[in-house]
Amino acid sequence: MRESTLWRWHMLAGAVVFFLLGLHMVIMHLDDILLAIGAGHGKAIDTTVVFERSKQAFFMVTYVILLGAALYHGLYGMRNILFELTLKKGWETLINRIFIVVGLGLFIYGTYVAVFVFLNGEV
Amino acid sequence: MASTPKNKLGIRGWVCGGRYVVERYAYIIHRISGIGILVYFILHIFVTGSRLGGPEKWHSTMSFFETPLFKFGEYLVFAAFAFHALNGLRLFFNELGFLIGKPARPVFPYKTSIHHQRPWLIVLMILAALFIVVGGLDFYILGE
Ligand code: HEM
Ligand code: HEM
């Protein structure tokens, strides 16, 4: 694929991550502030709260999207940093292959987790 | 495709490659925060994968991470996120050609795109600092 197309996806993925990770960070890290203003649902990483979230379709779907977008954005960014060294063609091909395998592997594993816990997780 | 000019600085080029205006520091921090979040994220996929083993497994995994050091690490990830997201927003618009002004003839007193984009940098960095302070409040004061 053309480099400019890959880069556009990097920008687009960044925009998606901006919203989804923004939400994730508010839920996970501003939980005590949400509680203090009466909008929280308990400590965000308490076991019951985690499994309650995992059982909701909204979180399952947005986690899979966030997983894919953040993996693409992060790995493409890392590839850019490495390619700035103006490497030999062989190295570039090797890095591309490793990143594709690692990215797809993590995406499949993470999606499996999100879907499995959504279907089977009991509180 | 035109061939890329050779990077003669090597790894040094990552940090010592240009003129040191404030945007250049933002660029270095953007890079470090991006790599930091990526490393955390890859480990995060496996840690949250422990949900596969059910609530007990999740609970025991989480108790392993309940140390002040990990808590501080998590706060760093939050701070890196606040910076990277807001600076990333600026780069997103700049690189697509927005918020940098229109091209104009170089007539004295000169104006560069810096005049257009720097106010955005300042506003977004104040916002990032605000998030980092509010996050600290949640992590270390309310969360106790
Ligand atoms: C929160 C929303 C995010 C936004 C708006 C965002 C935006 C951006 C933008 C615009 C760039 C390109 C910088 C450039 O071309 O000069 C970039 C680079 C990068 N991002 Fe993000 N990003 C976000 C989240 C993330 C996350 C979650 C990760 C890690 C998984 C990440 C890792 C990276 C890396 C490694 C780079 C390459 C840095 C470099 O070339 O110096 N970003 N980001
Ligand atoms: C540093 C603070 C973070 C905390 C405390 C945190 C916490 C959690 C928890 C508890 C879960 C399990 C699901 C749930 O409870 O709803 C989860 C899932 C997830 N998190 Fe985070 N997270 C953090 C940072 C991040 C970052 C930086 C990213 C992305 C770059 C991210 C992406 C995800 C994704 C994609 C999932 C779903 C994984 C799956 O189902 O396979 N998280 N997070």
Side-chain angles (χ1 to χ4, degrees), chain B residues 5-48:
Chain B
K6 185 94 185 121
N7 168 7
K8 296 197 191 77
L9 291 169
I11 290 175
R12 227 156 41 84
W14 282 341
V15 281
C16 315
R19 282 197 277 162
Y20 282 81
V21 289
V22 60
E23 284 78 9
R24 179 75 194 178
Y25 291 103
Y27 148 84
I28 296 170
I29 306 174
H30 194 80
R31 182 160 279 194
I32 295 170
S33 59
I35 298 175
I37 303 170
L38 180 62
V39 171
Y40 174 85
F41 181 42
I42 292 174
L43 297 173
H44 188 57
I45 294 175
F46 292 107
V47 172
T48 55

Side-chain angles (χ1 to χ4, degrees), chain B:
Chain B
M1 204 182 85
S3 68
T4 319
K6 185 94 185 121
N7 168 7
K8 296 197 191 77
L9 291 169
I11 290 175
R12 227 156 41 84
W14 282 341
V15 281
C16 315
R19 282 197 277 162
Y20 282 81
V21 289
V22 60
E23 284 78 9
R24 179 75 194 178
Y25 291 103
Y27 148 84
I28 296 170
I29 306 174
H30 194 80
R31 182 160 279 194
I32 295 170
S33 59
I35 298 175
I37 303 170
L38 180 62
V39 171
Y40 174 85
F41 181 42
I42 292 174
L43 297 173
H44 188 57
I45 294 175
F46 292 107
V47 172
T48 55
S50 76
R51 281 176 300 156
L52 284 177
E56 290 80 36
K57 181 82 177 89
W58 168 260
H59 192 74
S60 68
T61 310
M62 279 299 110
S63 26
F64 175 76
F65 293 111
E66 269 168 15
T67 67
L69 194 68
F70 279 114
K71 186 169 173 173
F72 182 66
E74 252 183 42
Y75 180 54
L76 278 188
V77 173
F78 177 82
F81 160 76
F83 172 84
H84 192 98
L86 291 166
N87 189 53
L89 196 66
R90 175 182 69 93
L91 294 173
F92 180 86
F93 285 113
N94 281 181
E95 291 183 12
L96 295 173
F98 300 101
L99 315 179
I100 50 176
K102 291 205 167 62
R105 285 178 191 283
V107 182
F108 191 80
Y110 304 118
K111 272 196 178 288
T112 70
S113 67
I114 294 264
H115 291 86
H116 292 273
Q117 64 152 326
R118 185 143 316 148
W120 288 98
L121 176 73
I122 294 168
V123 170
L124 289 167
M125 286 308 102
I126 292 174
L127 257 179
L130 212 66
F131 269 107
I132 292 170
V133 170
V134 169
L137 194 72
D138 190 289
F139 266 74
Y140 286 108
I141 297 176
L142 288 172
E144 285 310 309

Side-chain angles (χ1 to χ4, degrees), chain A:
Chain A
M1 217 180 290
R2 281 166 54 162
E3 197 56 46
S4 59
T5 314
L6 294 176
W7 180 80
R8 274 200 192 102
W9 283 103
H10 177 61
M11 289 294 116
L12 189 73
V16 171
V17 174
F18 184 84
F19 290 105
L20 295 185
L21 189 56
L23 181 69
H24 192 56
M25 289 290 104
V26 169
I27 292 176
M28 293 300 166
H29 286 316
L30 303 185
D31 52 341
D32 296 305
I33 288 183
L34 291 180
L35 278 175
I37 59 170
H41 292 280
K43 291 292 269 179
I45 58 162
D46 272 357
T47 306
T48 42
V49 179
V50 166
F51 280 83
E52 265 169 25
R53 254 194 316 266
S54 306
K55 293 290 288 173
Q56 294 176 35
F58 172 80
F59 283 103
M60 188 267 281
V61 173
T62 50
Y63 278 150
V64 174
I65 299 172
L66 175 61
L67 186 69
L71 276 172
Y72 180 81
H73 179 90
L75 289 173
Y76 179 85
M78 196 60 222
R79 172 184 176 273
N80 250 351
I81 296 174
L82 293 173
F83 280 21
E84 253 179 43
L85 293 171
T86 51
L87 304 166
K88 292 215 168 66
K89 199 86 203 123
W91 280 108
E92 294 196 346
T93 313
L94 183 70
I95 290 171
N96 283 341
R97 289 197 184 140
I98 292 175
F99 278 26
I100 290 172
V101 171
V102 168
L104 282 178
L106 288 170
F107 181 71
I108 292 169
Y109 175 71
T111 303
Y112 172 71
V113 172
V115 174
F116 181 90
V117 184
F118 171 68
L119 296 174
N120 302 309
E122 80 276 6
V123 186

